[in-house]
Amino acid sequence: MKLAFVLLALVAAVCAQKEPWCRCGAFITFDDDEAMVYEMPEVTIDSCENHKQCKNSCTKEMNKYSHYGDLWAMTPLNKTVGQSICETLSGLKHDFVHNHYVYGYYEVCGGPWEYTGIASQGMLCCDDGLQEHCIN
């Protein structure tokens, strides 16, 4: 009887597992901090071992959202990609950001964040939460 109960519990645990999933996010690196500045909706993938599918899906979605890393491209909310990021950073107490690239990352089934290989075309500069053109 105990064996049947253990087997039933094991089957229930396996059935309760979620579908394999993938997260996509854009990050800025500071000297002592990493800040997620944008997160895409979760993507379903074939398996938790399929990192390539996750990476490709994230790369495609981030390029679509940002027009291939253009921080001055307009979003559906009628503001630039960079302005949306500056507002997010301001909420994270990073009101002044100067000369930082934005990098794309992906996460498979709760594992570590991995670099997609994509970055913004130019650097991001924010002055009190407002996007500005960077001056080197």
Side-chain angles (χ1 to χ4, degrees):
M1 185 67 160
K2 285 184 181 182
L3 181 59
F5 179 73
V6 170
L7 288 175
L8 184 60
L10 182 60
V11 169
V14 169
C15 292
Q17 290 180 350
K18 286 179 60 174
E19 295 286 322
W21 53 273
C22 166
R23 288 175 64 196
C24 311
F27 288 79
I28 290 184
T29 302
F30 298 100
D31 289 337
D32 58 351
D33 191 18
E34 294 279 338
M36 181 189 282
V37 294
Y38 186 77
E39 184 170 5
M40 299 285 189
E42 194 173 279
V43 177
T44 301
I45 55 176
D46 295 336
S47 75
C48 289
E49 286 74 40
N50 201 339
H51 287 242
K52 185 176 181 180
Q53 183 184 21
C54 180
K55 178 182 178 180
N56 290 343
S57 294
C58 287
T59 299
K60 180 180 174 184
E61 288 302 312
M62 284 189 252
N63 281 334
K64 181 180 171 185
Y65 172 76
S66 68
H67 301 271
Y68 295 90
D70 180 1
L71 297 174
W72 291 96
M74 296 302 288
T75 69
L77 298 175
N78 206 27
K79 59 176 87 174
T80 65
V81 172
Q83 180 57 43
S84 296
I85 293 171
C86 287
E87 290 171 8
T88 298
L89 285 167
S90 186
L92 297 172
K93 306 299 184 214
H94 291 287
D95 296 316
F96 299 94
V97 175
H98 297 287
N99 299 325
H100 284 273
Y101 286 99
V102 181
Y103 299 97
Y105 283 82
Y106 65 97
E107 176 192 42
V108 179
C109 299
W113 286 98
E114 299 179 56
Y115 181 48
T116 61
I118 63 171
S120 58
Q121 295 174 16
M123 289 189 241
L124 178 70
C125 289
C126 307
D127 187 3
D128 203 19
L130 299 175
Q131 183 184 18
E132 291 188 337
H133 288 280
C134 295
I135 301 171
N136 291 334

